[in-house]
Amino acid sequence: MKLWGGRFSKSTDNLVDDFHSSISFDQRLAEQDITGSIAHATMLGEQGIIPKEDADKIVEGLKGILADVKEGKIEWMVDAEDIHMNVETILTQRIGEAGKRLHTGRSRNDQVALDVRMYAKLACQETVAMLEDLLDAILTHAQENLHTIMPGYTHMQKAQPITLAHHMMAYAQMFLRDRTRFQAAYRAADVMPLGSGALAGTTYPLNRERVAELLGFSAISQNSLDGVADRDFLLDYLSAASICMMHLSRFCEELIIWNTNEFRFVEMDDAYATGSSIMPQKKNPDVAELIRGKTGRVYGDLMALLTTMKGLPLAYNKDMQEDKEAFFDARDTLVKGLTVFTAMLRTVTFRKENMERGASGGFTNATDCADYLVKKGVAFRDAHAVVGRLVAHCLNENKALLDLTLDELKQFSSVFEQDVFDDLSMLSCVEKRRIPGAPAPDMVQASIDWTRAQLHD
Ligand code: ARG
């Protein structure tokens, strides 16, 4: 018979057991469920709500089950529905009558909310640690490439020269923001819901603060309906995960482009690329493509849970059981994505010569040429027009600005002097951009230092 079977005269149809049983996926919550129950039973004993001896037996029994779970010795029962009833059933099989007192003053509704919150807290902490590892990889590349010139793009057209360090540090800012988002998701999850009962609290004098303390929660939930009906903390995690995957995906997209024959800005390490079954010459950036592809999955998980929640009246509804697969899938996808991406990034080789050569083509110093004229007293709008004509002339002649002689330049504006050639070199274009946030090497160094300080905060 089911733990809740008292008022039923028939057993559940097999189809229903199969349909609503969640043990196949919520067994991942075993450790959280058992740890939560140990805290609940301890508090019940301390409050005199159940006999102290029974509380002790329950705690001992649960510890034994937890040890067996860790050794993979437990066979979960599909007809016991979910992790909560599986654990309770096994406990009562093992310790007898005392086991039946565990669920005093508790409902599976507040129990599952607790378990998922505990798991979410771990997931946030783990993600923060992984982001810090990724940031370290990015900062390492940045530090080594303060002077590596590369073209910066807008509209995927060469725009102005920057450095590889500057480009890397843009990603550092994105992942630093992701870290803040996961820290916020952690705080959202860090609220202890036990005591909410099924929806309306309980008549027993539970010590909720004590349970929060035993389980390392910083606060208790403030409303019993919300305590069982809230999954915002998972949506916070899924939103943060979606944005983080979007950042990974953009980075992957750039690595894929940089890895093309046309660009050749990077060489993927052989350990992070794959070949073709038919084309012997191929070395494909599959890892980066797959991370880009899996980003869609994580967005799907976020959309799935948002959609599940949107029509739910208070308080608990069984629809909410759907939260777990979406959350676990997103968590697994993100963890794998971050792990493999960081490893791949650490092993990438940058083809600095190609980057520098790429920067010199495409008139990336045209803005600097206009700025040079401004420095010599020409109004910016006029300078823009002069350089526009210069570029058109160069395109006709198949030349770069730096290929022109001073005489040629003077035909477009009399203020050009010999010093223009220094001003238009790629290095000087970068070095002249010396305001905070700009690509000059000492500015990027300041940004690296600032970012490292944030990490150690
Ligand atoms: N397996 C359920 C879930 O994941 C646990 C809560 C069930 N509560 C209930 N009243 N059926 O949400």
Side-chain angles (χ1 to χ4, degrees), residues 22 26 82 84 108-109 112 316 318 321 324:
S22 54
D26 65 15
D82 56 23
H84 325 295
R108 274 187 294 155
N109 298 352
V112 71
Y316 177 85
K318 186 73 171 232
Q321 178 166 289
K324 282 170 273 306

Side-chain angles (χ1 to χ4, degrees), residues 213-391:
E213 177 195 308
L214 286 170
L215 294 174
F217 277 90
S218 336
I220 59 171
S221 56
Q222 291 298 309
N223 178 287
S224 63
L225 294 171
D226 184 51
V228 293
D230 170 33
R231 291 295 182 272
D232 292 1
F233 59 98
L234 288 185
L235 291 167
D236 286 336
Y237 178 90
L238 289 168
S239 312
S242 295
I243 296 175
C244 183
M245 286 299 293
M246 179 268 285
H247 291 154
L248 285 176
S249 184
R250 291 181 79 171
F251 209 158
C252 284
E253 170 64 10
E254 294 213 286
L255 290 174
I256 291 164
I257 294 173
W258 291 357
N259 185 60
T260 57
N261 283 329
E262 290 74 10
F263 271 75
R264 297 208 143 283
F265 282 6
V266 290
E267 180 72 34
M268 300 286 194
D269 192 89
D270 275 5
Y272 291 91
T274 46
S276 156
S277 60
I278 171 169
M279 297 167 283
Q281 84 281 13
K282 290 279 254 177
K283 178 171 162 188
N284 297 325
D286 290 32
V287 171
E289 290 170 51
L290 208 44
I291 293 171
R292 190 178 58 185
K294 284 179 187 288
T295 302
R297 246 179 114 111
V298 176
Y299 293 1
D301 294 326
L302 170 63
M303 283 305 136
L305 187 58
L306 280 170
T307 311
T308 298
M309 298 305 292
K310 75 181 266 291
L312 297 188
L314 297 183
Y316 177 85
N317 299 268
K318 186 73 171 232
D319 315 45
M320 291 164 71
Q321 178 166 289
E322 289 288 307
D323 61 355
K324 282 170 273 306
E325 284 163 292
F327 169 47
F328 293 151
D329 181 68
R331 180 262 169 206
D332 293 349
T333 308
L334 180 65
V335 163
K336 279 187 214 154
L338 278 169
T339 309
V340 71
F341 183 84
T342 302
M344 177 175 73
L345 186 66
R346 284 194 192 279
T347 57
V348 125
T349 309
F350 294 102
R351 300 210 167 281
K352 304 184 188 185
E353 343 67 65
N354 292 346
M355 288 185 152
E356 293 212 43
R357 199 173 317 120
S360 343
F363 304 99
T364 55
N365 50 3
T367 314
D368 291 77
C369 189
D371 289 344
Y372 172 90
L373 294 173
V374 169
K375 194 169 70 181
K376 302 275 169 172
V378 181
F380 181 77
R381 207 31 78 206
D382 295 332
H384 188 289
V386 168
V387 180
R389 286 194 290 276
L390 262 173
V391 168

Side-chain angles (χ1 to χ4, degrees), residues 1 7 11 13 16 33 49 103 111 132 203 220-221 228 257 276-277 281 287 317 336 370 388 395 405:
M1 192 168 79
R7 64 98 74 208
S11 58
D13 193 287
V16 173
D33 195 73
I49 298 170
H103 211 49
Q111 189 179 354
E132 288 173 358
T203 55
I220 59 171
S221 56
V228 293
I257 294 173
S276 156
S277 60
Q281 84 281 13
V287 171
N317 299 268
K336 279 187 214 154
L395 284 170
T405 63

Side-chain angles (χ1 to χ4, degrees), residues 37-48:
S37 287
I38 289 175
H40 180 64
T42 304
M43 177 277 295
L44 290 177
E46 287 172 0
Q47 296 291 100

Side-chain angles (χ1 to χ4, degrees), residues 139 143 146 169 173 434-438 440-454:
L139 287 165
Q143 192 62 62
L146 285 171
M169 289 311 291
Q173 302 316 309
R434 302 200 61 260
I435 60 167
D442 46 346
M443 292 297 129
V444 177
Q445 183 64 61
S447 146
I448 291 175
D449 297 344
W450 180 87
T451 305
R452 279 206 193 282
Q454 298 289 308

